[in-house]
Amino acid sequence: MTLPPEFDLIDRHFRPLADPGALNLADDAALLRPPPGRELVLAADAMVENVHFLSDDPPETVGRKLLRTNLSDLAAMGAAPLGYLLTVALPRGYDAAWLAGFAAGLAMDQREFGLAILGGDTVSTTGPVSLSLTILGHVAPGTALRRDGAAAGQDLWVSGSIGDGALGLQARRGLVTDPGDYLAGRYQLPQPRLALGQALVGLATAAMDVSDGLAQDLGHLCRASRCGGVLKADAVPLSAAAASWLRSHPDGLPELLTGGDDYELLFAAPAGAAAEIARRAEACGTAVARIGHLVPGEPAVTLRDGAGAEIPLGRSGWSHF
Amino acid sequence: MTLPPEFDLIDRHFRPLADPGALNLADDAALLRPPPGRELVLAADAMVENVHFLSDDPPETVGRKLLRTNLSDLAAMGAAPLGYLLTVALPRGYDAAWLAGFAAGLAMDQREFGLAILGGDTVSTTGPVSLSLTILGHVAPGTALRRDGAAAGQDLWVSGSIGDGALGLQARRGLVTDPGDYLAGRYQLPQPRLALGQALVGLATAAMDVSDGLAQDLGHLCRASRCGGVLKADAVPLSAAAASWLRSHPDGLPELLTGGDDYELLFAAPAGAAAEIARRAEACGTAVARIGHLVPGEPAVTLRDGAGAEIPLGRSGWSHF
């Protein structure tokens, strides 16, 4: 009795990625002995073709983006990665070269971030490629960074630069010039801030990753922490490419703050922690910028220019529906 | 700043299902303290509209089937459920009543099986509804039932009845008569054999759940355990409905053994364990039947009639590709 094609597919593309606990992806489930005395951190993200990635994106970056958006959730909690499970829904006439590239991207990032696949499922679909990844990480019990620990008066910080992912999507669609494909690369290959997240444990009072636009995500942090947020327009860190785009789109800042796909860390900390934050971020090799502060009151997010005048944000951020 | 519609969707349909460790589904990830001294068991299954369920299936059963197929994987490992993460890809113009029904089904089965949602993601798709569920369970370290521990000479057993799921799909398509909707119910609402799986720990030498057809799944067990399998045609347990169908389709047994969607437990045990297996199964309220045995040699699966003559199986089982 020969095996049906999906087992050949799993054998060829996913078995080489398996963690020892995955039992060679040949059993009903994987086994994992959690690190003793640690708390587990669990997140799941889905990605759909032509919603989260483009059909002509290099397949290597699709696998890596899927893994990295989940790693970014671990980073936001201050967690270290343990492993992941993956489900893949593919058209029946799927392109084997695409799948090989997708798996090669996962293999690359498994090495870079030190985790492996624990299990999953491969099924057919009549629609676009549909991917789902569940990630497991761990923290010392009770130390996970959450969204609800910040308070009015504290500073707001963000890592890296904001707006590149949104511009990168436009660049991939030919709507924004992108010399050297820097912006496209930021859209296709986010950089999970794992080292920074772990360095912020015990220092940041709240943290989250910016995936749906800085303004909207800050709104979530404000709601969870029961305060308002004020962003200083000229403190938001921009890449050279985004700064250049902004010079030709003088009213474009709100677009950069509501566009999504940044996968930077947004966090809050008391003003007195600023020097230590700068020191630890430097040790991680990750740039951080103080972009505003939290105020008492409703969980509204306000953007202010250098003179203190409010800049309207328009839409809040990305929504699927 | 108002929240975009997907947060309203999560708030309305999924937040009531959340485990305390899910942090109210309002953070980047969930926190879970694993039961001390236990090994984790992890599985993920995907379901796609019109591949794994039909557009006009009651939405309650879709959510329950998704959860139950994953619970069946835990059952096959002898594990107890802990919690789950869920990703849902929905068309932009999704039907709110469908989603409410889907969530109500999950709520029902959360109560029945004692677990809750830990996290997930809700995204849009241009294709069919696409679901993915990752389940976590636990076992005493080193005791999980696996596929690779059986040996030639041992008996093969199966729980419940075989072939109802495949006939149920045909009944849903109007191809098979189904008085009382018994077969459709077996297709839409599998019964994960959790109590039996846990009762078999230390007794069964190998186990798995039957999801892609008994013949094909037995082939997996045989390959993992490096032996062949012989099924006795007249020992395969059939429901009254399947037996009735078989009377009007005298050559139909192979169809019942290769059709998929059974979600029964297939397991192996030494002949000397038979009485204890019967005793424990009885205590669980789950019927079990001895359906054959394992033989030395290649991992081939042979079906034999009462006189010992081979019945050709035709195709081995369900394949997506």
Side-chain angles (χ1 to χ4, degrees):
Chain A
M1 191 155 50
T2 56
L3 280 173
E6 70 198 78
F7 293 93
D8 181 54
L9 180 165
I10 293 166
D11 199 47
R12 186 173 308 189
H13 298 295
F14 294 124
R15 208 170 319 280
L17 306 178
D19 184 272
L23 307 179
N24 215 19
L25 301 180
D27 227 299
D28 290 283
L31 298 175
L32 179 72
R33 300 205 186 186
R38 302 284 285 184
E39 193 166 16
L40 289 178
V41 181
L42 304 158
D45 275 322
M47 289 195 351
V48 176
E49 183 181 4
N50 290 326
V51 178
H52 301 82
F53 62 94
L54 304 176
S55 299
D56 62 349
D57 275 333
E60 290 79 6
T61 67
V62 173
R64 298 173 80 186
K65 183 171 182 175
L66 177 62
L67 190 50
R68 286 166 179 232
T69 57
N70 278 277
L71 286 164
S72 182
D73 286 323
L74 291 187
M77 305 293 283
L82 257 183
Y84 68 99
L85 295 94
L86 171 68
T87 66
V88 178
L90 293 171
R92 277 184 175 250
Y94 75 91
D95 176 350
W98 187 91
L99 194 62
F102 174 78
L106 290 173
M108 231 179 287
D109 274 2
Q110 287 196 177
R111 284 190 296 275
E112 179 161 349
F113 297 104
L115 77 173
I117 199 167
L118 286 162
D121 195 14
T122 309
V123 302
S124 58
T125 177
T126 56
V129 174
S130 193
L131 308 165
S132 176
L133 194 147
T134 297
I135 201 158
L136 288 86
H138 60 101
V139 289
T143 68
L145 300 172
R146 295 169 52 163
R147 297 181 181 179
D148 59 3
Q154 296 181 344
D155 292 333
L156 286 170
W157 297 74
V158 77
S159 65
S161 56
I162 292 295
D164 298 332
L167 290 178
L169 174 56
Q170 292 195 42
R172 289 282 293 122
R173 289 176 168 154
L175 303 172
V176 161
T177 57
D178 186 19
D181 292 328
Y182 168 82
L183 294 169
R186 288 276 288 165
Y187 169 72
Q188 291 170 335
L189 210 58
Q191 187 58 53
R193 304 298 186 184
L194 285 158
L196 178 65
Q198 291 166 50
L200 291 174
V201 168
L203 198 56
T205 53
M208 64 181 299
D209 79 327
V210 181
S211 54
D212 294 336
L214 178 63
Q216 176 171 306
D217 285 329
L218 175 54
H220 293 313
L221 191 148
C222 288
R223 253 182 305 279
S225 291
R226 294 182 188 80
C227 53
V230 177
L231 291 174
K232 294 189 292 181
D234 48 17
V236 174
L238 300 180
S239 67
S244 159
W245 176 87
L246 192 59
R247 277 191 293 276
S248 54
H249 299 77
D251 298 327
L253 187 63
E255 199 172 323
L256 301 183
L257 303 188
T258 57
D261 269 319
D262 290 305
Y263 299 102
E264 296 291 353
L265 290 191
L266 168 68
F267 55 99
E276 180 64 10
I277 286 170
R279 201 190 60 75
R280 292 196 196 175
E282 170 95 32
C284 299
T286 306
V288 292
R290 224 179 327 177
I291 54 169
H293 59 282
L294 295 168
V295 294
E298 291 302 299
V301 172
T302 313
L303 178 65
R304 295 201 184 281
D305 68 16
E310 183 171 348
I311 304 172
L313 276 164
R315 70 163 191 168
S316 61
W318 168 258
S319 175
H320 276 283
F321 299 100
Chain B
M1 189 156 48
T2 56
L3 279 174
E6 70 198 77
F7 293 94
D8 180 52
L9 180 164
I10 293 166
D11 200 45
R12 183 170 313 189
H13 298 295
F14 296 123
R15 210 174 313 284
L17 306 178
D19 184 271
L23 308 178
N24 216 15
L25 300 181
D27 226 297
D28 291 283
L31 298 174
L32 179 72
R33 300 205 186 184
R38 301 285 285 182
E39 193 166 15
L40 290 179
V41 181
L42 304 158
D45 275 322
M47 287 194 353
V48 176
E49 183 182 4
N50 291 326
V51 177
H52 302 81
F53 63 93
L54 304 175
S55 299
D56 62 350
D57 276 332
E60 291 78 7
T61 67
V62 174
R64 297 174 82 187
K65 182 169 182 175
L66 177 63
L67 190 49
R68 285 165 179 234
T69 58
N70 279 275
L71 286 165
S72 182
D73 286 323
L74 292 188
M77 306 294 281
L82 257 182
Y84 69 98
L85 295 95
L86 172 68
T87 66
V88 178
L90 294 170
R92 277 182 176 253
Y94 74 92
D95 175 351
W98 187 91
L99 194 62
F102 173 79
L106 289 173
M108 231 179 287
D109 273 3
Q110 289 196 175
R111 283 190 297 274
E112 177 162 351
F113 297 103
L115 77 174
I117 199 166
L118 287 161
D121 196 13
T122 309
V123 302
S124 58
T125 177
T126 55
V129 174
S130 193
L131 309 164
S132 175
L133 194 148
T134 297
I135 201 158
L136 288 86
H138 61 100
V139 289
T143 69
L145 300 173
R146 296 169 51 162
R147 297 182 182 180
D148 60 3
Q154 295 180 346
D155 292 334
L156 287 170
W157 296 74
V158 77
S159 65
S161 56
I162 292 295
D164 298 332
L167 290 179
L169 174 56
Q170 292 193 41
R172 288 283 293 121
R173 289 177 169 152
L175 303 172
V176 161
T177 57
D178 185 20
D181 293 329
Y182 168 82
L183 295 168
R186 288 276 287 164
Y187 169 73
Q188 290 170 336
L189 210 57
Q191 187 57 53
R193 305 297 186 184
L194 284 159
L196 178 65
Q198 291 167 48
L200 291 173
V201 168
L203 198 57
T205 53
M208 64 181 299
D209 78 328
V210 181
S211 54
D212 293 337
L214 179 63
Q216 178 172 304
D217 285 330
L218 174 54
H220 293 314
L221 191 149
C222 287
R223 253 182 305 280
S225 290
R226 295 184 188 78
C227 52
V230 177
L231 291 174
K232 291 189 293 179
D234 47 18
V236 174
L238 300 181
S239 67
S244 160
W245 176 87
L246 191 59
R247 277 192 292 278
S248 54
H249 299 76
D251 298 326
L253 187 62
E255 199 173 322
L256 301 183
L257 303 189
T258 58
D261 269 317
D262 292 303
Y263 299 103
E264 296 292 352
L265 290 192
L266 168 68
F267 56 99
E276 180 64 11
I277 286 170
R279 201 190 60 75
R280 293 196 195 175
E282 169 95 32
C284 297
T286 305
V288 293
R290 222 178 329 176
I291 54 169
H293 59 282
L294 295 167
V295 293
E298 291 302 300
V301 172
T302 313
L303 177 65
R304 295 199 185 281
D305 67 17
E310 183 171 347
I311 304 172
L313 276 163
R315 71 164 191 167
S316 61
W318 167 258
S319 174
H320 276 283
F321 298 100

